[in-house]
């Protein structure tokens, strides 16, 4: 007896089931996306608060960041308790401590870049770590898309060049800028020479993420190791903070840094603690890594809101042009060879799952 052929209604039921499963997956991811957006907004808000505070107070940026790292390291050590559970081997502890040194150097350069270039450029320069995707393709044999990646690198350089020439500012942008409110303080063009510091900080930040992913991909272990990384960065930054504070203009800056201002509290809670867990959720659940166009799109929206709120020298159209070029460059620089891989393999590789096959993750962060 021949089996009955599936009817049109059965096929429709199958299509409806697939559609409902996709709708359910979207409904589950929506709260996580909201958390990711809010977490990034609070972190970027803390950066603007920090810039506003330091611009008016003249305190040492390195000393301020060190004073923020001290309670941050205590919070992570208390929450994660890396000394409990299975003992961590030296093969994980030693790279984690070294990673703390990289993190400390990142904070020094990032802070200097923040004061020299402003929060907008300091935040966008963090995406410069996407150049590691070009380096991994050039050094480790993934040459199929090498010219595509080089084109993405060129687009990123164009975006940073336009930013350095003031395209995101109302004062220097050749494009029409929305808003006619008077400026409290017009900004000067920065130039590519000054852009080297925040761009280098962005590359160091991406390198730190790569090393952290190479040490462990397990989420629980990653959090334990991150507590060690923050504590190590605090120790590495201590002599720089003392030296910078001693040479600073304000001799009582250490005392002033201990006062709990909004800039201090927001930097600790949102800029260092909360953003780590938000990025972990985005990477594990949403498969959204830092150096990606989707992440840049979220940051772009937050930056627009805060630039308008703080009445900065801001050109909306010029900033959008720079962000689009930067996003295109990141997309090309972190592109993967998918013709010889299934979509699942390509997606897992982009998140560092196949770290044993490659000496470095295809996506930098």
């Amino acid at each position: 007896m021949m089996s009955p052929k599936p009817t049109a209604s059965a096929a429709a039921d199958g299509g409806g089931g697939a559609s409902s499963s996709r709708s359910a997956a979207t409904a589950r991811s929506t709260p996580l996306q909201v958390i990711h957006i809010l977490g990034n907004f609070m972190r970027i808000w803390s950066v603007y608060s920090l810039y506003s505070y330091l611009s008016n107070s003249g305190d040492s940026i390195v000393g301020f960041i060190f004073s923020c790292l001290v309670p941050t390291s205590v919070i992570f050590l208390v929450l994660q308790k890396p000394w409990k559970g299975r003992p961590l081997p030296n093969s994980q502890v030693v790279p984690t401590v070294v990673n703390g040194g990289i993190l400390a150097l990142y904070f020094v350069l990032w802070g200097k870049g923040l004061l020299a270039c402003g929060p907008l450029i300091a935040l966008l320069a963090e995406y410069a770590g996407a150049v590691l995707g070009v380096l991994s393709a050039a050094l480790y044999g993934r040459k199929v898309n090498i010219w595509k990646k080089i084109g993405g690198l060129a687009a990123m350089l164009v975006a940073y060049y336009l930013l350095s020439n003031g395209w995101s500012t109302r004062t220097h942008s050749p494009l029409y800028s929305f808003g006619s409110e008077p400026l409290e303080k017009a900004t000067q063009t920065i130039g590519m020479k000054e852009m080297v510091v925040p761009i280098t900080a962005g590359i160091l930040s991406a390198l730190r993420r790569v090393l952290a992913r190479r040490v462990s991909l397990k989420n629980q272990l990653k959090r334990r190791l991150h507590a060690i990384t923050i504590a190590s960065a605090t120790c590495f930054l201590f002599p720089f903070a003392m030296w910078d504070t001693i040479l600073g203009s304000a001799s009582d800056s250490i005392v002033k840094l201990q006062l709990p201002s909004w800039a201090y509290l927001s930097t600790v809670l949102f800029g260092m603690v909360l953003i780590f867990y938000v990025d972990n959720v985005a990477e594990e659940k949403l498969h959204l890594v830092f150096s990606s166009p989707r992440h840049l799109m979220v940051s772009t929206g937050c930056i627009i809101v805060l630039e308008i709120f703080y009445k900065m020298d801001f050109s909306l159209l010029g900033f959008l042009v720079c962000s689009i070029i930067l996003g295109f460059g990141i997309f090309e620089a972190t592109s993967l060879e998918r013709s010889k891989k299934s979509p699942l393999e390509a997606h897992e590789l982009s998140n560092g799952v196949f770290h044993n096959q490659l000496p470095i993750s295809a996506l930098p962060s």
Side-chain angles (χ1 to χ4, degrees):
M1 181 180 296
M2 297 180 60
S3 59
K5 295 182 179 180
T7 62
S9 60
D13 291 340
S19 177
S20 62
S21 63
R22 287 193 297 268
S23 300
T26 303
R28 288 194 298 269
S29 64
T30 298
L32 298 178
Q33 292 174 353
V34 173
I35 292 174
H36 177 251
I37 294 174
L38 291 178
N40 276 273
F41 179 81
M42 298 305 295
R43 187 256 169 172
I44 294 176
W45 189 10
S46 71
V47 174
Y48 276 83
S49 300
L50 175 61
Y51 176 75
S52 177
Y53 173 80
L54 293 177
S55 298
N56 296 323
S57 66
D59 289 341
S60 164
I61 178 64
V62 180
F64 187 94
I65 292 178
F66 171 76
S67 69
C68 293
L69 278 175
V70 172
T72 301
S73 61
V74 173
I75 291 173
F76 276 115
L77 290 174
V78 171
L79 291 178
Q80 303 307 327
K81 298 179 177 63
W83 57 85
K84 288 190 175 181
R86 178 180 298 179
L88 298 173
N90 290 334
S91 60
Q92 291 180 325
V93 175
V94 173
T96 301
V97 173
V98 174
N99 214 7
I102 296 177
L103 180 61
L105 181 58
Y106 154 75
F107 275 127
V108 172
L109 296 179
W110 180 85
K112 299 294 185 181
L114 175 65
L115 288 180
C117 304
L120 186 149
I121 292 180
L123 289 168
L124 291 187
E126 293 178 339
Y127 294 92
V131 301
L132 295 185
V134 182
L135 295 178
S136 66
L139 298 177
Y140 298 109
R142 299 177 57 81
K143 301 183 183 299
V144 179
N145 286 335
I146 182 64
W147 292 111
K148 193 175 183 181
K149 290 175 177 290
I150 291 177
L153 176 60
M156 293 176 60
L157 291 177
V158 169
Y160 288 131
Y161 175 78
L162 296 179
L163 287 170
S164 67
N165 282 272
W167 275 51
S168 63
T169 64
R170 191 189 313 172
T171 305
H172 304 285
S173 176
L175 303 177
Y176 174 76
S177 61
F178 296 94
S180 58
E181 297 83 1
L183 294 176
E184 295 182 359
K185 182 180 180 182
T187 57
Q188 302 292 328
T189 55
I190 299 171
M192 285 300 293
K193 184 178 179 180
E194 287 76 10
M195 289 284 292
V196 171
V197 174
I199 288 176
T200 303
I203 296 175
L204 286 176
S205 177
L207 179 61
R208 178 189 65 82
R209 289 186 175 91
V210 170
L211 293 179
R213 187 181 295 120
R214 291 281 297 157
V215 172
S216 175
L217 287 172
K218 295 181 179 180
N219 202 25
Q220 182 64 34
L221 183 57
K222 188 189 302 184
R223 290 195 292 265
R224 293 175 63 194
L225 293 175
H226 184 73
I228 299 177
T229 300
I230 294 295
S232 174
T234 306
C235 296
F236 277 110
L237 197 60
F238 175 74
F240 295 98
M242 294 300 100
W243 180 259
D244 195 64
T245 302
I246 292 173
L247 295 182
S249 58
S251 60
D252 59 338
S253 57
I254 296 180
V255 178
K256 291 191 297 182
L257 290 179
Q258 307 306 319
L259 299 179
S261 62
W262 166 248
Y264 180 82
L265 294 176
S266 63
T267 301
V268 173
L269 297 178
F270 304 134
M272 294 184 177
V273 178
L274 178 64
I275 193 61
F276 169 74
Y277 294 103
V278 169
D279 284 344
N280 262 356
V281 169
E283 185 173 342
E284 296 293 330
K285 304 298 182 181
L286 301 176
H287 307 291
L288 178 59
V289 294
F290 186 87
S291 292
S292 65
R294 290 170 57 196
H295 198 287
L296 175 63
M297 182 172 61
V298 174
S299 298
T300 297
C302 298
I303 289 173
I304 291 174
V305 173
L306 291 169
E307 284 282 324
I308 296 174
F309 177 77
Y310 278 91
K311 297 181 180 180
M312 307 290 284
D313 187 3
F314 180 61
S315 169
L316 177 60
L317 189 57
F319 173 69
L320 288 177
V321 170
C322 296
S323 296
I324 291 172
I325 297 174
L326 180 60
F328 173 77
I330 292 173
F331 177 79
E332 295 296 325
T334 59
S335 62
L336 299 172
E337 171 57 38
R338 293 180 174 88
S339 61
K340 297 182 181 180
K341 296 182 180 69
S342 66
L344 177 61
E345 288 175 334
H347 179 75
E348 289 178 339
L349 180 59
S350 69
N351 288 280
V353 175
F354 293 150
H355 64 291
N356 291 327
Q357 285 88 340
L358 290 175
I360 191 169
S361 175
L363 284 185
S365 58

